[in-house]
Amino acid sequence: FLHQQRGVVAVETVLAFPILLAAGLLIADLLTVVLEREHMEQRAGAVSSVLAMQAKLTQQGLTGLIGATLPENGGGNYQLTITNVKQTGEVYWQLNRGTATGLCADSDLAPGSSWPGSDLPELDAKNGSESVSLIVVQLCRQSSDLKLTTGLGLNPLLTASAVGRVTEGTL
């Protein structure tokens, strides 16, 4: 009887091992995606909050900020879009940085155009002030750059955005 029990346990273990291994790999991939999204949100938030506190924007300052918040290696193909939007919804200016283009939705807005949608806080097209503006930072990354073991079918694009109110009118 003891030998029969050991044989059953061995067969059950052999049958259950691939299922447990696949579940473990799937959980590891989901954790990788969740952590990458969290990192993207932190980076976008850091860029928007620092820029919102500035009185002016320089090339050297922006390069230093992006270099400090975005990884030089392992960041994959990404696009960082920084937009200064007046409270009236008018786009004051927009900058695009990164290793890819065309990843972020509405990534090419000309100065003077209207911000698409009404999802920004304090946006008021009728009663908004021309001297109050928001910094909108969008960080978009291709999910195919993530090293996933299970071939998990993801949205091909990971996005994060952050909004900060400029303290000195318009930047």
Side-chain angles (χ1 to χ4, degrees), residues 3 20 62 99 114 138 151 154 159 161 167:
H3 292 293
L20 292 174
L62 181 62
T99 58
S114 295
Q138 293 176 300
L154 293 175
T159 62
S161 62
T167 58

Side-chain angles (χ1 to χ4, degrees), residues 100-159:
T101 58
L103 293 180
C104 292
D106 305 320
S107 61
D108 293 323
L109 297 173
S113 64
S114 295
W115 180 259
S118 60
D119 56 344
L120 296 179
E122 299 185 40
L123 196 64
D124 189 353
K126 293 180 182 176
N127 301 320
S129 172
E130 287 286 322
S131 62
V132 175
S133 68
L134 305 167
I135 290 290
V136 182
V137 175
Q138 293 176 300
L139 181 58
C140 306
R141 178 181 182 190
Q142 292 177 337
S143 63
S144 61
D145 295 336
L146 295 174
K147 294 180 176 29
L148 302 177
T149 55
T150 60
L152 184 66
L154 293 175
N155 184 349
L157 192 63
L158 299 175
T159 62

Side-chain angles (χ1 to χ4, degrees), residues 25-35 148 150 152 154:
L25 291 174
L26 182 65
I27 289 170
D29 283 352
L30 289 173
L31 182 62
T32 300
V33 172
V34 166
L35 288 175
L148 302 177
T150 60
L152 184 66
L154 293 175

